[in-house]
Amino acid sequence: MAKFLAFGEIMLRLSPPGRELLLQTPRFDVWVAGAEANVATALAKLGHDVGFASMVPDNDLGRSAIATLRGHGVDTAAIQLGGDRMGLYFVTSGAGMRATEVIYDRAYSSFAEAPVAAWDWDALFDGVDWFHLSGITPALGPVPAKSAIAAVRAAAARGIPISFDGNYRAKLWERWDSDPRGLLMQLVEHADLMFGNHRDIALLLDRDFGGHDGEDRRRDAADAAFDAFPKLKTIASTARHVENVDLHRVSARIDTRDGHAQTEEVVLAGIVDRIGGGDAFASGVLHALRTGGDIGAAAATGLALTALKHSLPGDASLFRQADIDAYLAGGLDVRR
């Protein structure tokens, strides 16, 4: 297979053990995290050649993060050492009717402070035939936003397909005098595949899609996005209904200019960790499309990997094709 390249911040996630509140007891579970790093990890686990471009500090935290990605099979040659600090975020897992809470501590991180000139796209795109990034990078500040825009322009100039995951993070955008719509528009206009739902499209186009429910609303939003972005070919999304933190109902959908594929809703009970479920979905869709699947297979595979990720603590999906096949086969008995 030819090579994926993902670009974004790699972080450490710190969570209280079990379902404790933050610092209820003085302990943390720690995982390597970050939306784009999660996608790179999941694709590598599924057998793809995938590299990751980022920057981390030259200390034990940064080097441990690199070692973790490398251990999962990600090509880490494009991760630079520089800057002063590792981006962090804290996740307090919800329980019952108490929602999961996220606190970011990523200001002035090595990646957020990396200058636009740090990224040599001629070298980074050598041998690459798919580029993935998300809306988190431009939310980090004006310089990462310029880097993201430079990246998609360089990829588009080389004819490299681009997938973009909206991943709107209000807490990050609100930290600075930002223009989310204006910046995200400059990224989506270069994308071939967008991961996002009607709310993401409503933000981009500054219009409401609340006149319909369910599938009609999502198709209306997709049609509007296809009209606004001539290069865009595919939109992939999930719909989630939360009964409580342990019980969600999730479905997946893929829209193209000519049609769509919609899965049935699946019930996810006994959820271990929902963080990273969207990244798992993106990985499953990319995997299926890259291995010759149609949009129906891509929606089903994305949903399968999302469902499996909810069974695993931490941010990244670590499942292989055999796990997806077993899930799709519907067997929940012990695999001996």
Side-chain angles (χ1 to χ4, degrees):
M1 297 181 186
K3 190 170 186 175
F4 285 96
L5 179 71
F7 173 61
E9 182 168 32
I10 183 171
M11 301 185 295
L12 297 181
R13 166 184 161 182
L14 291 81
S15 290
R19 296 188 170 184
E20 293 182 6
L21 298 176
L22 198 65
L23 294 179
Q24 181 176 334
T25 57
R27 297 177 295 167
F28 286 113
D29 294 325
V30 183
W31 290 277
V32 173
E36 302 86 356
N38 294 340
V39 171
T41 295
L43 288 171
K45 284 293 185 182
L46 289 167
H48 295 274
D49 184 359
V50 54
F52 187 64
S54 191
M55 183 178 287
V56 295
D58 186 6
N59 58 30
D60 287 345
L61 297 178
R63 291 185 178 277
S64 293
I66 291 173
T68 297
L69 285 190
R70 187 184 299 124
H72 291 315
V74 176
D75 179 356
T76 60
I79 301 180
Q80 302 180 50
L81 296 173
D84 296 322
R85 71 179 300 261
M86 192 83 185
L88 307 175
Y89 85 112
F90 299 82
V91 177
T92 303
S93 295
M97 302 306 291
R98 171 168 60 86
T100 295
E101 180 71 21
V102 171
I103 298 174
Y104 292 112
D105 180 22
R106 41 199 305 188
Y108 309 109
S109 69
S110 294
F111 181 80
E113 294 290 287
V116 177
W119 314 107
D120 181 353
W121 296 112
D122 284 332
L124 289 169
F125 283 136
D126 184 31
V128 169
D129 77 340
W130 194 284
F131 181 51
H132 179 78
L133 77 166
S134 88
I136 294 177
T137 294
L140 295 175
V143 176
K146 291 178 182 177
S147 295
I149 292 168
V152 295
R153 288 176 176 170
R158 290 160 177 77
I160 298 171
I162 298 166
S163 52
F164 175 77
D165 193 338
N167 272 337
Y168 187 77
R169 299 290 185 266
K171 288 184 178 181
L172 296 177
W173 286 108
E174 290 166 1
R175 283 190 57 255
W176 60 288
D177 184 19
S178 61
D179 175 18
R181 180 172 177 267
L183 292 169
L184 294 174
M185 288 280 285
Q186 294 181 68
L187 298 176
V188 178
E189 69 182 6
H190 294 291
D192 299 86
L193 167 59
M194 176 183 171
F195 294 100
N197 59 24
H198 65 279
R199 288 183 293 273
D200 296 288
I201 297 170
L203 171 67
L204 289 170
L205 303 184
D206 193 24
R207 57 177 285 191
D208 181 27
F209 296 100
H212 300 288
D213 292 326
E215 293 188 29
D216 289 340
R217 178 173 56 191
R218 285 191 275 176
R219 186 64 214 186
D220 286 349
D223 285 338
F226 290 135
D227 288 342
F229 303 106
K231 189 183 176 189
L232 189 62
K233 301 179 181 68
T234 308
I235 299 172
S237 63
T238 58
R240 180 188 297 267
H241 298 92
V242 179
E243 303 293 340
N244 56 62
V245 299
D246 295 309
L247 181 64
H248 297 183
R249 294 180 285 115
V250 182
S251 62
R253 180 183 176 93
I254 295 181
D255 285 278
T256 66
R257 291 179 179 270
D258 300 326
H260 74 276
Q262 172 76 46
T263 72
E264 296 293 328
E265 196 173 59
V266 298
V267 177
L268 304 180
I271 292 171
V272 173
D273 193 338
R274 68 165 286 181
I275 302 296
D279 304 326
F281 173 69
S283 306
V285 170
L286 289 170
H287 169 63
L289 293 176
R290 193 57 170 268
T291 53
D294 60 17
I295 61 170
T301 302
L303 183 60
L305 210 59
T306 296
L308 289 168
K309 168 59 198 70
H310 283 69
S311 73
L312 190 69
D315 278 36
S317 168
L318 304 179
F319 298 99
R320 302 183 185 277
Q321 182 64 52
D323 301 304
I324 294 174
D325 293 341
Y327 172 87
L328 293 174
L332 289 178
D333 200 358
V334 178
R335 293 156 60 186
R336 303 180 189 274

